[in-house]
Amino acid sequence: NDAYPTSVKIALINSNKKGVMDNGMVSSEIVSDLVRIHDDRIVEYRHLLHEPDLALDIRAIFERIIEESLKYSQQLKEKLNEPPDGYGSIYKLWLSGKMPVADKNKKMILATCATDELITNNTYSVAISMVSDEKLRQLLEEHQHGLKNLHAEIRQYYHAQ
C-alpha cells in the first residue's frame, strides 16, 4: 500500500543526510514543505466546497481535511523563523504522487481523497525519517497519526458506499 517506492525514499534520505547534520537547515526546509502541502490542501478543498452538487457527507469530509490542515499548518508555522522559500524535496515528493479531485462520482471522490491522505501520510514518513530534532519529530508523528485516522475513516466510508 506504499505510494512511493523504497528507492525514492532512500534517494531522498541519502540526498539530505548531509543537511541533517546542518543544525536545522533541513528541518526548516522540511517544515516549510509541510506548511506548503497543508496550505495547498486547504486551497484545493476550499475550492471543491464551492461545487454546487457536492453531497453533504463529502462536504463534511472536505471540511475535516481543511480543519486538520489548518491546524497542522499553524503548528508548523510556529516552528519556522522565516516564511517558506522555494520548494524542497518533501513538497516535490508529495506533489509527484498527488491526484486532483476531478470526478463528480461519490465513490471516485472518496477514492481520490483516500489516496491523497495516503500520499500525505507517506510524505510525512519520509519527513520524519529526515528530522533530527526530537520535538519536531514528535509533532510530525502526531500529525501523521491524525492523517492515518482520517485515511482510515475515508476508506471505511468508501467501502460502505
Side-chain angles (χ1 to χ4, degrees):
N1 264 348
D2 214 1
Y4 303 113
T6 303
S7 59
V8 171
K9 290 180 185 177
I10 291 170
L12 275 170
I13 292 166
N14 287 337
S15 71
N16 282 296
K17 274 188 179 171
K18 180 180 178 232
V20 170
M21 304 296 196
D22 211 338
N23 290 335
M25 185 182 100
V26 165
S27 290
S28 178
E29 179 184 308
I30 290 168
V31 171
S32 291
D33 281 357
L34 293 173
V35 166
R36 273 191 208 86
I37 288 168
H38 288 294
D39 289 351
D40 282 3
R41 286 163 51 93
I42 293 163
V43 168
E44 178 181 13
Y45 285 104
R46 278 185 175 160
H47 175 76
L48 291 168
L49 283 176
H50 294 292
E51 291 290 323
D53 298 330
L54 193 62
L56 287 177
D57 50 356
I58 298 296
R59 183 175 300 279
I61 290 170
F62 288 179
E63 288 171 347
R64 171 124 181 254
I65 292 169
I66 292 167
E67 181 180 310
E68 286 198 5
S69 281
L70 282 167
K71 177 178 137 187
Y72 297 159
S73 179
Q74 184 56 44
Q75 290 173 338
L76 291 164
K77 285 176 183 174
E78 292 171 6
K79 303 286 184 192
L80 288 176
N81 295 328
E82 54 191 61
D85 179 35
Y87 300 98
S89 58
I90 294 295
Y91 181 83
K92 290 174 185 173
L93 176 66
W94 173 77
L95 197 57
S96 72
K98 179 155 179 25
M99 295 175 16
V101 179
D103 204 304
K104 302 273 187 204
N105 175 295
K106 184 186 267 191
K107 196 134 176 143
M108 289 305 298
I109 290 171
L110 290 168
T112 304
C113 288
T115 300
D116 184 44
E117 291 305 305
L118 183 61
I119 289 166
T120 304
N121 181 47
N122 287 344
T123 302
Y124 260 82
S125 291
V126 174
I128 290 166
S129 73
M130 296 168 65
V131 169
S132 58
D133 179 82
E134 190 56 38
K135 287 183 181 180
L136 179 56
R137 181 184 308 245
Q138 285 177 329
L139 178 64
L140 298 185
E141 287 172 349
E142 288 171 21
H143 290 186
Q144 187 178 43
H145 180 74
L147 291 166
K148 284 180 181 179
N149 287 341
L150 186 54
H151 175 255
E153 289 174 27
I154 293 169
R155 283 187 51 95
Q156 183 178 14
Y157 191 67
Y158 170 85
H159 290 298
Q161 296 300 302

Short mmCIF file of all heavy atoms in Angstrom, two decimals, residues 79-145:
data_model
loop_
_atom_site.label_atom_id
_atom_site.label_comp_id
_atom_site.label_asym_id
_atom_site.label_seq_id
_atom_site.Cartn_x
_atom_site.Cartn_y
_atom_site.Cartn_z
N LYS A 79 7.06 26.80 14.08
CA LYS A 79 8.42 26.27 14.13
C LYS A 79 9.36 26.98 13.14
O LYS A 79 10.57 26.75 13.17
CB LYS A 79 8.43 24.76 13.79
CG LYS A 79 7.56 23.92 14.69
CD LYS A 79 8.19 23.76 16.03
CE LYS A 79 7.38 22.83 16.92
NZ LYS A 79 7.82 22.90 18.29
N LEU A 80 8.81 27.82 12.27
CA LEU A 80 9.61 28.49 11.26
C LEU A 80 10.07 29.86 11.73
O LEU A 80 9.30 30.60 12.34
CB LEU A 80 8.80 28.67 9.97
CG LEU A 80 8.53 27.42 9.15
CD1 LEU A 80 7.62 27.76 7.97
CD2 LEU A 80 9.82 26.81 8.65
N ASN A 81 11.30 30.20 11.41
CA ASN A 81 11.82 31.53 11.71
C ASN A 81 11.53 32.51 10.59
O ASN A 81 11.54 33.71 10.79
CB ASN A 81 13.34 31.46 11.95
CG ASN A 81 13.67 30.64 13.17
OD1 ASN A 81 12.90 30.62 14.13
ND2 ASN A 81 14.80 29.96 13.15
N GLU A 82 11.33 31.99 9.40
CA GLU A 82 11.04 32.83 8.24
C GLU A 82 10.05 32.12 7.34
O GLU A 82 9.89 30.91 7.44
CB GLU A 82 12.33 33.15 7.48
CG GLU A 82 13.14 31.93 7.09
CD GLU A 82 14.51 32.29 6.59
OE1 GLU A 82 15.28 32.88 7.36
OE2 GLU A 82 14.79 31.98 5.42
N PRO A 83 9.38 32.87 6.47
CA PRO A 83 8.38 32.22 5.60
C PRO A 83 9.04 31.23 4.63
O PRO A 83 10.23 31.36 4.33
CB PRO A 83 7.75 33.38 4.84
CG PRO A 83 8.62 34.56 5.07
CD PRO A 83 9.48 34.28 6.26
N PRO A 84 8.27 30.26 4.18
CA PRO A 84 8.81 29.27 3.22
C PRO A 84 9.38 29.94 1.99
O PRO A 84 8.85 30.94 1.51
CB PRO A 84 7.59 28.42 2.86
CG PRO A 84 6.63 28.62 3.98
CD PRO A 84 6.87 30.01 4.50
N ASP A 85 10.47 29.38 1.48
CA ASP A 85 11.15 29.93 0.31
C ASP A 85 11.49 28.79 -0.63
O ASP A 85 12.31 27.94 -0.28
CB ASP A 85 12.41 30.67 0.75
CG ASP A 85 13.16 31.26 -0.42
OD1 ASP A 85 12.52 31.69 -1.39
OD2 ASP A 85 14.41 31.29 -0.37
N GLY A 86 10.87 28.74 -1.79
CA GLY A 86 11.16 27.69 -2.76
C GLY A 86 10.46 26.38 -2.39
O GLY A 86 9.70 26.31 -1.44
N TYR A 87 10.74 25.37 -3.19
CA TYR A 87 10.13 24.06 -2.98
C TYR A 87 11.22 23.03 -2.76
O TYR A 87 12.10 22.88 -3.58
CB TYR A 87 9.28 23.66 -4.21
CG TYR A 87 8.16 24.63 -4.48
CD1 TYR A 87 8.29 25.62 -5.44
CD2 TYR A 87 6.99 24.55 -3.75
CE1 TYR A 87 7.27 26.52 -5.67
CE2 TYR A 87 5.96 25.45 -3.98
CZ TYR A 87 6.11 26.43 -4.94
OH TYR A 87 5.09 27.32 -5.15
N GLY A 88 11.13 22.33 -1.64
CA GLY A 88 12.12 21.32 -1.31
C GLY A 88 11.69 19.93 -1.76
O GLY A 88 10.63 19.74 -2.36
N SER A 89 12.51 18.95 -1.42
CA SER A 89 12.29 17.58 -1.88
C SER A 89 11.02 16.96 -1.30
O SER A 89 10.37 16.15 -1.96
CB SER A 89 13.50 16.71 -1.57
OG SER A 89 13.76 16.73 -0.18
N ILE A 90 10.64 17.34 -0.07
CA ILE A 90 9.43 16.77 0.54
C ILE A 90 8.19 17.24 -0.23
O ILE A 90 7.31 16.44 -0.56
CB ILE A 90 9.34 17.15 2.03
CG1 ILE A 90 10.48 16.50 2.81
CG2 ILE A 90 7.99 16.78 2.63
CD1 ILE A 90 10.45 14.99 2.87
N TYR A 91 8.13 18.52 -0.53
CA TYR A 91 7.00 19.06 -1.28
C TYR A 91 6.93 18.41 -2.67
O TYR A 91 5.86 18.01 -3.13
CB TYR A 91 7.09 20.58 -1.41
CG TYR A 91 5.92 21.18 -2.15
CD1 TYR A 91 4.72 21.46 -1.49
CD2 TYR A 91 6.00 21.44 -3.51
CE1 TYR A 91 3.64 21.98 -2.16
CE2 TYR A 91 4.92 21.98 -4.19
CZ TYR A 91 3.74 22.25 -3.52
OH TYR A 91 2.67 22.77 -4.21
N LYS A 92 8.07 18.31 -3.32
CA LYS A 92 8.12 17.73 -4.67
C LYS A 92 7.69 16.27 -4.65
O LYS A 92 7.00 15.80 -5.56
CB LYS A 92 9.51 17.89 -5.27
CG LYS A 92 9.84 19.33 -5.60
CD LYS A 92 11.28 19.48 -6.05
CE LYS A 92 11.64 20.93 -6.25
NZ LYS A 92 13.07 21.12 -6.51
N LEU A 93 8.09 15.55 -3.60
CA LEU A 93 7.68 14.15 -3.46
C LEU A 93 6.17 14.06 -3.34
O LEU A 93 5.52 13.26 -4.03
CB LEU A 93 8.35 13.54 -2.23
CG LEU A 93 7.96 12.10 -1.88
CD1 LEU A 93 8.45 11.14 -2.96
CD2 LEU A 93 8.54 11.72 -0.52
N TRP A 94 5.59 14.89 -2.48
CA TRP A 94 4.13 14.90 -2.29
C TRP A 94 3.43 15.25 -3.60
O TRP A 94 2.48 14.58 -4.01
CB TRP A 94 3.76 15.90 -1.20
CG TRP A 94 2.30 16.12 -1.03
CD1 TRP A 94 1.40 15.29 -0.41
CD2 TRP A 94 1.53 17.24 -1.48
NE1 TRP A 94 0.14 15.84 -0.46
CE2 TRP A 94 0.19 17.04 -1.11
CE3 TRP A 94 1.87 18.41 -2.17
CZ2 TRP A 94 -0.81 17.95 -1.39
CZ3 TRP A 94 0.88 19.33 -2.45
CH2 TRP A 94 -0.46 19.08 -2.06
N LEU A 95 3.90 16.29 -4.26
CA LEU A 95 3.27 16.76 -5.49
C LEU A 95 3.33 15.71 -6.59
O LEU A 95 2.38 15.56 -7.37
CB LEU A 95 3.94 18.06 -5.95
CG LEU A 95 3.21 18.91 -6.96
CD1 LEU A 95 1.83 19.30 -6.45
CD2 LEU A 95 4.02 20.15 -7.30
N SER A 96 4.41 14.94 -6.63
CA SER A 96 4.56 13.92 -7.68
C SER A 96 3.53 12.80 -7.57
O SER A 96 3.21 12.15 -8.56
CB SER A 96 5.97 13.34 -7.66
OG SER A 96 6.15 12.50 -6.54
N GLY A 97 3.00 12.57 -6.37
CA GLY A 97 2.03 11.50 -6.20
C GLY A 97 0.60 11.96 -6.07
O GLY A 97 -0.33 11.16 -6.13
N LYS A 98 0.41 13.24 -5.90
CA LYS A 98 -0.91 13.80 -5.64
C LYS A 98 -1.82 13.72 -6.86
O LYS A 98 -1.39 13.91 -7.97
CB LYS A 98 -0.75 15.26 -5.23
CG LYS A 98 -2.06 15.89 -4.97
CD LYS A 98 -1.93 17.05 -4.05
CE LYS A 98 -3.26 17.69 -3.83
NZ LYS A 98 -4.42 16.88 -4.03
N MET A 99 -3.08 13.43 -6.58
CA MET A 99 -4.08 13.38 -7.65
C MET A 99 -5.16 14.42 -7.35
O MET A 99 -5.65 14.50 -6.22
CB MET A 99 -4.74 12.00 -7.70
CG MET A 99 -3.82 10.89 -8.07
SD MET A 99 -4.54 9.22 -7.99
CE MET A 99 -6.27 9.44 -7.96
N PRO A 100 -5.53 15.23 -8.33
CA PRO A 100 -6.60 16.20 -8.08
C PRO A 100 -7.96 15.51 -7.99
O PRO A 100 -8.18 14.47 -8.62
CB PRO A 100 -6.55 17.12 -9.31
CG PRO A 100 -5.90 16.29 -10.38
CD PRO A 100 -4.99 15.32 -9.68
N VAL A 101 -8.84 16.06 -7.19
CA VAL A 101 -10.21 15.54 -7.10
C VAL A 101 -10.95 16.13 -8.30
O VAL A 101 -11.23 17.32 -8.32
CB VAL A 101 -10.89 15.96 -5.78
CG1 VAL A 101 -12.32 15.44 -5.73
CG2 VAL A 101 -10.09 15.47 -4.59
N ALA A 102 -11.22 15.30 -9.28
CA ALA A 102 -11.78 15.81 -10.52
C ALA A 102 -13.12 15.16 -10.89
O ALA A 102 -13.81 15.64 -11.77
CB ALA A 102 -10.79 15.61 -11.67
N ASP A 103 -13.46 14.08 -10.25
CA ASP A 103 -14.65 13.34 -10.62
C ASP A 103 -15.84 13.79 -9.78
O ASP A 103 -15.68 14.24 -8.65
CB ASP A 103 -14.40 11.83 -10.38
CG ASP A 103 -15.30 10.96 -11.22
OD1 ASP A 103 -16.53 11.13 -11.14
OD2 ASP A 103 -14.77 10.12 -11.95
N LYS A 104 -17.03 13.67 -10.32
CA LYS A 104 -18.26 14.02 -9.59
C LYS A 104 -18.87 12.81 -8.89
O LYS A 104 -19.72 12.95 -8.04
CB LYS A 104 -19.30 14.60 -10.56
CG LYS A 104 -18.83 15.82 -11.30
CD LYS A 104 -19.09 17.05 -10.51
CE LYS A 104 -18.78 18.27 -11.36
NZ LYS A 104 -18.48 19.43 -10.61
N ASN A 105 -18.42 11.62 -9.25
CA ASN A 105 -18.90 10.38 -8.67
C ASN A 105 -18.42 10.26 -7.22
O ASN A 105 -17.23 10.38 -6.93
CB ASN A 105 -18.38 9.21 -9.51
CG ASN A 105 -18.71 7.87 -8.95
OD1 ASN A 105 -18.24 7.52 -7.87
ND2 ASN A 105 -19.48 7.11 -9.68
N LYS A 106 -19.35 10.03 -6.30
CA LYS A 106 -19.03 10.00 -4.86
C LYS A 106 -17.93 8.98 -4.55
O LYS A 106 -16.99 9.28 -3.81
CB LYS A 106 -20.28 9.68 -4.06
CG LYS A 106 -20.05 9.73 -2.57
CD LYS A 106 -21.27 9.27 -1.79
CE LYS A 106 -22.15 10.41 -1.43
NZ LYS A 106 -23.20 10.04 -0.47
N LYS A 107 -18.03 7.81 -5.11
CA LYS A 107 -17.05 6.76 -4.82
C LYS A 107 -15.66 7.16 -5.33
O LYS A 107 -14.66 6.93 -4.66
CB LYS A 107 -17.51 5.44 -5.45
CG LYS A 107 -16.78 4.25 -4.89
CD LYS A 107 -17.74 3.14 -4.56
CE LYS A 107 -16.96 1.94 -4.09
NZ LYS A 107 -17.56 1.20 -3.06
N MET A 108 -15.61 7.78 -6.50
CA MET A 108 -14.31 8.23 -7.04
C MET A 108 -13.74 9.38 -6.22
O MET A 108 -12.53 9.46 -6.02
CB MET A 108 -14.46 8.62 -8.51
CG MET A 108 -14.67 7.46 -9.45
SD MET A 108 -13.38 6.20 -9.33
CE MET A 108 -11.94 7.12 -9.80
N ILE A 109 -14.59 10.27 -5.75
CA ILE A 109 -14.12 11.37 -4.89
C ILE A 109 -13.51 10.79 -3.62
O ILE A 109 -12.42 11.19 -3.20
CB ILE A 109 -15.28 12.33 -4.55
CG1 ILE A 109 -15.70 13.11 -5.80
CG2 ILE A 109 -14.88 13.29 -3.44
CD1 ILE A 109 -16.98 13.93 -5.62
N LEU A 110 -14.19 9.82 -3.02
CA LEU A 110 -13.68 9.19 -1.80
C LEU A 110 -12.37 8.46 -2.07
O LEU A 110 -11.44 8.52 -1.25
CB LEU A 110 -14.72 8.23 -1.23
CG LEU A 110 -15.95 8.89 -0.61
CD1 LEU A 110 -17.03 7.85 -0.34
CD2 LEU A 110 -15.59 9.65 0.65
N ALA A 111 -12.27 7.78 -3.21
CA ALA A 111 -11.03 7.08 -3.55
C ALA A 111 -9.88 8.07 -3.72
O ALA A 111 -8.77 7.82 -3.23
CB ALA A 111 -11.23 6.27 -4.84
N THR A 112 -10.15 9.19 -4.36
CA THR A 112 -9.11 10.21 -4.55
C THR A 112 -8.70 10.81 -3.22
O THR A 112 -7.52 11.02 -2.96
CB THR A 112 -9.60 11.30 -5.52
OG1 THR A 112 -9.99 10.69 -6.76
CG2 THR A 112 -8.52 12.32 -5.79
N CYS A 113 -9.66 11.10 -2.35
CA CYS A 113 -9.36 11.63 -1.03
C CYS A 113 -8.52 10.64 -0.22
O CYS A 113 -7.55 11.04 0.45
CB CYS A 113 -10.63 11.96 -0.26
SG CYS A 113 -11.50 13.40 -0.86
N ALA A 114 -8.88 9.37 -0.27
CA ALA A 114 -8.13 8.35 0.46
C ALA A 114 -6.70 8.26 -0.07
O ALA A 114 -5.74 8.17 0.72
CB ALA A 114 -8.83 7.00 0.35
N THR A 115 -6.54 8.33 -1.37
CA THR A 115 -5.21 8.30 -1.98
C THR A 115 -4.41 9.52 -1.55
O THR A 115 -3.23 9.41 -1.21
CB THR A 115 -5.32 8.21 -3.51
OG1 THR A 115 -6.02 7.02 -3.86
CG2 THR A 115 -3.94 8.20 -4.16
N ASP A 116 -5.06 10.68 -1.55
CA ASP A 116 -4.38 11.90 -1.14
C ASP A 116 -3.91 11.80 0.31
O ASP A 116 -2.79 12.19 0.65
CB ASP A 116 -5.30 13.11 -1.32
CG ASP A 116 -4.61 14.42 -1.00
OD1 ASP A 116 -3.45 14.60 -1.44
OD2 ASP A 116 -5.22 15.27 -0.33
N GLU A 117 -4.74 11.24 1.18
CA GLU A 117 -4.36 11.08 2.58
C GLU A 117 -3.18 10.11 2.70
O GLU A 117 -2.27 10.33 3.49
CB GLU A 117 -5.54 10.59 3.42
CG GLU A 117 -6.63 11.59 3.59
CD GLU A 117 -6.16 12.92 4.15
OE1 GLU A 117 -5.54 12.94 5.23
OE2 GLU A 117 -6.39 13.95 3.50
N LEU A 118 -3.20 9.05 1.92
CA LEU A 118 -2.12 8.07 1.94
C LEU A 118 -0.81 8.71 1.47
O LEU A 118 0.25 8.52 2.09
CB LEU A 118 -2.46 6.86 1.08
CG LEU A 118 -1.44 5.73 1.07
CD1 LEU A 118 -1.25 5.16 2.46
CD2 LEU A 118 -1.88 4.65 0.09
N ILE A 119 -0.87 9.48 0.40
CA ILE A 119 0.32 10.15 -0.12
C ILE A 119 0.86 11.15 0.90
O ILE A 119 2.07 11.22 1.13
CB ILE A 119 0.01 10.82 -1.47
CG1 ILE A 119 -0.19 9.73 -2.53
CG2 ILE A 119 1.11 11.79 -1.88
CD1 ILE A 119 -0.81 10.22 -3.81
N THR A 120 -0.03 11.89 1.52
CA THR A 120 0.40 12.85 2.54
C THR A 120 1.02 12.11 3.72
O THR A 120 2.06 12.51 4.25
CB THR A 120 -0.79 13.73 2.98
OG1 THR A 120 -1.35 14.36 1.83
CG2 THR A 120 -0.35 14.80 3.97
N ASN A 121 0.42 11.01 4.13
CA ASN A 121 0.95 10.19 5.21
C ASN A 121 2.34 9.66 4.86
O ASN A 121 3.27 9.70 5.69
CB ASN A 121 -0.01 9.05 5.51
CG ASN A 121 0.48 8.17 6.64
OD1 ASN A 121 0.89 8.65 7.68
ND2 ASN A 121 0.44 6.87 6.41
N ASN A 122 2.51 9.15 3.66
CA ASN A 122 3.81 8.62 3.24
C ASN A 122 4.85 9.73 3.16
O ASN A 122 6.02 9.51 3.47
CB ASN A 122 3.68 7.88 1.91
CG ASN A 122 2.97 6.56 2.06
OD1 ASN A 122 2.83 6.04 3.16
ND2 ASN A 122 2.50 6.02 0.95
N THR A 123 4.42 10.92 2.75
CA THR A 123 5.33 12.06 2.72
C THR A 123 5.79 12.39 4.13
O THR A 123 6.97 12.68 4.36
CB THR A 123 4.64 13.27 2.06
OG1 THR A 123 4.22 12.90 0.74
CG2 THR A 123 5.56 14.47 1.98
N TYR A 124 4.88 12.30 5.08
CA TYR A 124 5.25 12.51 6.48
C TYR A 124 6.25 11.46 6.94
O TYR A 124 7.18 11.77 7.70
CB TYR A 124 4.01 12.49 7.38
CG TYR A 124 3.52 13.86 7.76
CD1 TYR A 124 2.72 14.60 6.90
CD2 TYR A 124 3.84 14.43 8.99
CE1 TYR A 124 2.26 15.86 7.25
CE2 TYR A 124 3.39 15.68 9.35
CZ TYR A 124 2.60 16.40 8.48
OH TYR A 124 2.17 17.65 8.83
N SER A 125 6.09 10.22 6.51
CA SER A 125 7.05 9.17 6.89
C SER A 125 8.46 9.54 6.45
O SER A 125 9.42 9.39 7.21
CB SER A 125 6.66 7.83 6.28
OG SER A 125 5.48 7.34 6.86
N VAL A 126 8.58 10.01 5.22
CA VAL A 126 9.89 10.42 4.71
C VAL A 126 10.40 11.61 5.51
O VAL A 126 11.56 11.64 5.93
CB VAL A 126 9.83 10.75 3.19
CG1 VAL A 126 11.15 11.32 2.71
CG2 VAL A 126 9.46 9.51 2.39
N ALA A 127 9.54 12.59 5.76
CA ALA A 127 9.95 13.78 6.52
C ALA A 127 10.44 13.39 7.92
O ALA A 127 11.49 13.86 8.37
CB ALA A 127 8.79 14.77 6.61
N ILE A 128 9.70 12.53 8.58
CA ILE A 128 10.07 12.10 9.94
C ILE A 128 11.43 11.41 9.92
O ILE A 128 12.25 11.63 10.81
CB ILE A 128 8.99 11.18 10.54
CG1 ILE A 128 7.72 12.00 10.86
CG2 ILE A 128 9.49 10.44 11.77
CD1 ILE A 128 6.48 11.17 11.15
N SER A 129 11.69 10.62 8.90
CA SER A 129 12.97 9.92 8.83
C SER A 129 14.15 10.87 8.63
O SER A 129 15.29 10.52 8.89
CB SER A 129 12.95 8.88 7.70
OG SER A 129 13.01 9.51 6.44
N MET A 130 13.86 12.09 8.20
CA MET A 130 14.92 13.06 7.91
C MET A 130 15.12 14.08 9.04
O MET A 130 16.07 14.86 9.00
CB MET A 130 14.59 13.80 6.61
CG MET A 130 14.58 12.89 5.40
SD MET A 130 13.86 13.65 3.94
CE MET A 130 15.00 14.97 3.61
N VAL A 131 14.24 14.09 10.02
CA VAL A 131 14.28 15.10 11.08
C VAL A 131 15.10 14.60 12.26
O VAL A 131 14.88 13.48 12.73
CB VAL A 131 12.84 15.47 11.53
CG1 VAL A 131 12.85 16.31 12.78
CG2 VAL A 131 12.11 16.18 10.41
N SER A 132 16.01 15.43 12.73
CA SER A 132 16.83 15.03 13.88
C SER A 132 16.32 15.63 15.19
O SER A 132 16.59 15.07 16.25
CB SER A 132 18.29 15.44 13.65
OG SER A 132 18.38 16.84 13.44
N ASP A 133 15.57 16.72 15.13
CA ASP A 133 15.05 17.37 16.34
C ASP A 133 13.90 16.55 16.92
O ASP A 133 12.90 16.31 16.25
CB ASP A 133 14.57 18.79 16.00
CG ASP A 133 13.99 19.50 17.20
OD1 ASP A 133 14.78 20.03 17.99
OD2 ASP A 133 12.74 19.50 17.33
N GLU A 134 14.04 16.13 18.17
CA GLU A 134 13.06 15.22 18.78
C GLU A 134 11.68 15.86 18.94
O GLU A 134 10.66 15.21 18.70
CB GLU A 134 13.57 14.72 20.15
CG GLU A 134 12.75 13.60 20.73
CD GLU A 134 12.61 12.38 19.83
OE1 GLU A 134 13.57 12.01 19.14
OE2 GLU A 134 11.51 11.79 19.81
N LYS A 135 11.62 17.13 19.33
CA LYS A 135 10.32 17.80 19.49
C LYS A 135 9.59 17.92 18.16
O LYS A 135 8.38 17.70 18.07
CB LYS A 135 10.48 19.18 20.13
CG LYS A 135 10.81 19.11 21.59
CD LYS A 135 10.88 20.49 22.21
CE LYS A 135 11.25 20.39 23.68
NZ LYS A 135 11.34 21.71 24.30
N LEU A 136 10.34 18.26 17.11
CA LEU A 136 9.73 18.35 15.79
C LEU A 136 9.27 16.97 15.32
O LEU A 136 8.17 16.82 14.79
CB LEU A 136 10.70 18.96 14.78
CG LEU A 136 10.20 19.09 13.35
CD1 LEU A 136 8.90 19.89 13.27
CD2 LEU A 136 11.28 19.70 12.45
N ARG A 137 10.08 15.96 15.57
CA ARG A 137 9.71 14.59 15.19
C ARG A 137 8.40 14.18 15.88
O ARG A 137 7.51 13.60 15.26
CB ARG A 137 10.82 13.61 15.55
CG ARG A 137 10.52 12.17 15.16
CD ARG A 137 11.61 11.27 15.64
NE ARG A 137 12.89 11.80 15.18
CZ ARG A 137 13.68 11.17 14.32
NH1 ARG A 137 13.35 10.00 13.85
NH2 ARG A 137 14.81 11.71 13.94
N GLN A 138 8.27 14.52 17.17
CA GLN A 138 7.04 14.19 17.90
C GLN A 138 5.83 14.90 17.30
O GLN A 138 4.76 14.30 17.15
CB GLN A 138 7.17 14.57 19.38
CG GLN A 138 8.04 13.63 20.15
CD GLN A 138 8.19 14.08 21.60
OE1 GLN A 138 8.18 15.27 21.91
NE2 GLN A 138 8.34 13.11 22.50
N LEU A 139 5.99 16.17 16.93
CA LEU A 139 4.90 16.92 16.31
C LEU A 139 4.50 16.26 14.99
O LEU A 139 3.31 16.06 14.72
CB LEU A 139 5.30 18.38 16.08
CG LEU A 139 4.24 19.25 15.39
CD1 LEU A 139 2.98 19.38 16.24
CD2 LEU A 139 4.83 20.61 15.05
N LEU A 140 5.48 15.91 14.18
CA LEU A 140 5.19 15.28 12.88
C LEU A 140 4.53 13.92 13.08
O LEU A 140 3.63 13.55 12.31
CB LEU A 140 6.46 15.15 12.05
CG LEU A 140 7.18 16.45 11.67
CD1 LEU A 140 8.35 16.16 10.74
CD2 LEU A 140 6.23 17.46 11.06
N GLU A 141 4.94 13.19 14.09
CA GLU A 141 4.31 11.89 14.37
C GLU A 141 2.86 12.07 14.82
O GLU A 141 2.00 11.28 14.45
CB GLU A 141 5.12 11.12 15.41
CG GLU A 141 6.42 10.58 14.84
CD GLU A 141 7.36 9.98 15.88
OE1 GLU A 141 7.12 10.15 17.10
OE2 GLU A 141 8.35 9.35 15.46
N GLU A 142 2.58 13.14 15.57
CA GLU A 142 1.19 13.44 15.96
C GLU A 142 0.35 13.76 14.72
O GLU A 142 -0.78 13.28 14.58
CB GLU A 142 1.15 14.62 16.93
CG GLU A 142 1.66 14.30 18.31
CD GLU A 142 1.80 15.55 19.18
OE1 GLU A 142 1.16 16.58 18.88
OE2 GLU A 142 2.54 15.49 20.18
N HIS A 143 0.91 14.58 13.84
CA HIS A 143 0.21 14.90 12.60
C HIS A 143 -0.05 13.63 11.79
O HIS A 143 -1.15 13.43 11.27
CB HIS A 143 1.03 15.87 11.74
CG HIS A 143 1.13 17.24 12.29
ND1 HIS A 143 1.72 18.26 11.59
CD2 HIS A 143 0.72 17.80 13.46
CE1 HIS A 143 1.68 19.37 12.30
NE2 HIS A 143 1.08 19.11 13.45
N GLN A 144 0.98 12.80 11.69
CA GLN A 144 0.85 11.57 10.91
C GLN A 144 -0.23 10.67 11.49
O GLN A 144 -1.00 10.06 10.75
CB GLN A 144 2.19 10.85 10.83
CG GLN A 144 2.14 9.66 9.89
CD GLN A 144 3.47 8.97 9.77
OE1 GLN A 144 4.17 8.77 10.77
NE2 GLN A 144 3.85 8.60 8.56
N HIS A 145 -0.32 10.61 12.79
CA HIS A 145 -1.36 9.80 13.44
C HIS A 145 -2.75 10.32 13.03
O HIS A 145 -3.64 9.53 12.70
CB HIS A 145 -1.17 9.83 14.96
CG HIS A 145 -2.19 9.03 15.70
ND1 HIS A 145 -2.17 7.66 15.72
CD2 HIS A 145 -3.26 9.42 16.43
CE1 HIS A 145 -3.20 7.23 16.43
NE2 HIS A 145 -3.87 8.27 16.88
#
